[in-house]
C-alpha cells in the first residue's frame, strides 16, 4: 500500500512548486530582469555541454535543436560610432562586445579563446575570412558548435573601399554562402577589413541581412607593440574602455593568453559581455 502512495508525494510537491513558480515570477520581475542584465546569455548556463571540445565530433544536425530555442530578446542597439546602447533602462550600459577577427587559423589558440569565453559565460563574434574558412572548415564549425557567433569579414581580407560592385558582392556574398553551407546559418554581422568601406560595402552588407560595424576599442593586438605581450593587450583595452565598447581583438596567441585576465578585470569593473544575439540587427 505504502509503495503505491509514496510516488504521489513527489508529484504533488512538484505540482505545488510549479503552480507557485508562476506568481512570484511576476512579483520578482525586477530581480528577473536583473539576472538577465548580468548574464545576457541564459542559453550559456543551460547548456554546459557546449564547453566540451568533443562537440566538434557532433554531426551538423545540431542546428534543428537550436532552431527550436526561444529567440534571445534584443537588449542593445549599435549607434553610429559602433558603440552599444541599451534598448531600455532596465538593461545596463556597462557592457562590452567582444570580437575576434581574421580566423579561423589555429585550433589551439581558438580552443583557448573558446574555453576562456565559456569560463566567463561570455559570448563573442568571430569575424572570419573566406580563405581561412576554406583552409579550416572544422574550426569554423567548432566556433558555431561552441555557441559563439560567426561574423563575415570578407573572403580575402582586402581593402574593399575601392573594389568594384561585382568584387564587393563576391567578397561578401561568397562567404555568406560558404558559412551557411558549413553551419546552417548566415552571419548577421559584417566588419570590413581594416575598417575600410564606403556606401557600396555598407549597402552590400545590408542587402545580405548584416549589421555593418567597425569597432570603438582597438586592443592593438595586431600591432608590433603588443606582439607576445598579453599585458599590453589588457592595458590597451582598459585604457580605451567605455560603456558599450565594441572591442576589436584577433585570433592571436598573446590575445588568447590575455583573455582570462582581461575578462576578469572587466567583470571587476562591473562590465558584462553583450550576447551578439541580443543586438538589434534590423536597422
Ligand atoms: Zn581583419
Amino acid at each position: 500500500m505504502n509503495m503505491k502512495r509514496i510516488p504521489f508525494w513527489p508529484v504533488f510537491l512538484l505540482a505545488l512548486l510549479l503552480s507557485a513558480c508562476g506568481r512570484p515570477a511576476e512579483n520578482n520581475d525586477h530581480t528577473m530582469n536583473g539576472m538577465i542584465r548580468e548574464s545576457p546569455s541564459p542559453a550559456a548556463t543551460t547548456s554546459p555541454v557546449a564547453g566540451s571540445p568533443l562537440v566538434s565530433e557532433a554531426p551538423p544536425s545540431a542546428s534543428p535543436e537550436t532552431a527550436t530555442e526561444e529567440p534571445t530578446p534584443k537588449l542593445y542597439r549599435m549607434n553610429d560610432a559602433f558603440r552599444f546602447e541599451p534598448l531600455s533602462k532596465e538593461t545596463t550600459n556597462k557592457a562590452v562586445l567582444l570580437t575576434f577577427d581574421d580566423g579561423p587559423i589555429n585550433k589551439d589558440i581558438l580552443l583557448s579563446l573558446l574555453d576562456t569565453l565559456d569560463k566567463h559565460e561570455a559570448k563573442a563574434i568571430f569575424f572570419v575570412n573566406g580563405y581561412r574558412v576554406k583552409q579550416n572548415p572544422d574550426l569554423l564549425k567548432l566556433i558555431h558548435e561552441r555557441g559563439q557567433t560567426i561574423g563575415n569579414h570578407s573572403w580575402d581580407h582586402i581593402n574593399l573601399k575601392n573594389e568594384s560592385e561585382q568584387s564587393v558582392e563576391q567578397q561578401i556574398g561568397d562567404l555568406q554562402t560558404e558559412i551557411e553551407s558549413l553551419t546552417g546559418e548566415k552571419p548577421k554581422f559584417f566588419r570590413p577589413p581594416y575598417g575600410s568601406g564606403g556606401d557600396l560595402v555598407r549597402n552590400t552588407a545590408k542587402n545580405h541581412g548584416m549589421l555593418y560595424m567597425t569597432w570603438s576599442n582597438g586592443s592593438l593586438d595586431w600591432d608590433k607593440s603588443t606582439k607576445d605581450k598579453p599585458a599590453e593587450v589588457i592595458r590597451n583595452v582598459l585604457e580605451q574602455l567605455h560603456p558599450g565598447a565594441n572591442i576589436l581583438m584577433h585570433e592571436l596567441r598573446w590575445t588568447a593568453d590575455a583573455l582570462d585576465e582581461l575578462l576578469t578585470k572587466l567583470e571587476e569593473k562591473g562590465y558584462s559581455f553583450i550576447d551578439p544575439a541580443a543586438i538589434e540587427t534590423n536597422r
Side-chain angles (χ1 to χ4, degrees):
M1 288 295 277
N2 282 343
M3 293 292 281
K4 278 191 177 178
R5 295 180 70 174
I6 286 164
F8 283 89
W9 282 104
V11 174
F12 178 62
L13 284 173
L14 188 68
L16 254 184
L17 196 68
L18 285 173
S19 69
C21 272
R23 285 166 214 153
E26 281 170 25
N27 297 337
N28 292 341
D29 212 25
H30 295 294
T31 319
M32 295 298 283
N33 283 342
M35 285 170 72
I36 290 163
R37 278 206 300 277
E38 290 308 311
S39 172
S41 59
T45 52
T46 53
S47 56
V49 189
S52 163
L54 293 173
V55 215
S56 57
E57 304 292 325
S61 63
S63 23
E65 264 181 44
T66 49
T68 58
E69 279 174 15
E70 294 276 315
T72 306
K74 302 298 180 197
L75 300 175
Y76 292 92
R77 169 192 298 133
M78 192 184 72
N79 68 21
D80 291 341
F82 309 113
R83 299 171 178 215
F84 297 93
E85 296 167 350
L87 287 167
S88 90
K89 285 177 185 165
E90 305 293 306
T91 304
T92 180
N93 71 339
K94 281 193 96 178
V96 297
L97 177 69
L98 306 168
T99 68
F100 301 95
D101 289 13
D102 298 1
I105 307 167
N106 178 292
K107 190 171 186 179
D108 289 342
I109 296 175
L110 181 60
L111 279 173
S112 171
L113 292 172
L114 292 169
D115 289 346
T116 304
L117 289 171
D118 279 353
K119 181 181 167 187
H120 292 265
E121 292 183 10
K123 296 290 181 186
I125 302 177
F126 288 78
F127 282 105
V128 301
N129 293 118
Y131 76 99
R132 297 286 195 194
V133 171
K134 215 57 186 170
Q135 291 163 353
N136 301 300
D138 289 348
L139 297 188
L140 184 88
K141 289 184 194 168
L142 183 65
I143 298 170
H144 178 69
E145 287 158 9
R146 293 282 296 259
Q148 299 295 342
T149 297
I150 293 165
N152 185 322
H153 195 41
S154 86
W155 193 276
D156 286 311
H157 205 278
I158 52 174
N159 185 340
L160 296 173
K161 197 157 193 171
N162 301 315
E163 291 293 308
S164 69
E165 194 172 339
Q166 190 196 359
S167 168
V168 169
E169 173 55 37
Q170 272 178 355
Q171 287 290 325
I172 295 175
D174 287 0
L175 182 51
Q176 286 297 84
T177 308
E178 185 69 18
I179 293 171
E180 187 183 24
S181 74
L182 289 168
T183 67
E185 284 176 33
K186 279 186 185 175
K188 294 191 175 71
F189 301 95
F190 176 77
R191 176 178 281 158
Y194 317 106
S196 171
D199 288 345
L200 173 64
V201 179
R202 282 175 182 262
N203 288 334
T204 308
K206 194 177 180 184
N207 291 342
H208 281 281
M210 291 186 285
L211 181 67
Y212 175 106
M213 68 172 74
T214 61
W215 57 88
S216 71
N217 180 325
S219 63
L220 289 175
D221 65 348
W222 67 92
D223 191 76
K224 271 188 213 154
S225 62
T226 59
K227 187 173 173 12
D228 298 324
K229 294 176 189 159
E232 284 299 289
V233 178
I234 296 169
R235 198 178 63 84
N236 289 334
V237 171
L238 295 182
E239 210 172 74
Q240 302 167 64
L241 185 61
H242 57 83
N246 185 336
I247 303 176
L248 167 67
M249 293 175 281
H250 293 77
E251 192 196 300
L252 293 167
R253 166 52 62 195
W254 46 95
T255 301
D257 289 346
L259 195 62
D260 189 24
E261 191 179 330
L262 174 61
L263 299 192
T264 301
K265 290 199 156 142
L266 289 170
E267 286 161 341
E268 283 168 3
K269 289 176 183 290
Y271 278 84
S272 57
F273 310 112
I274 297 175
D275 182 351
I279 298 170
E280 238 183 25
T281 51
N282 55 343
R283 64 194 289 274

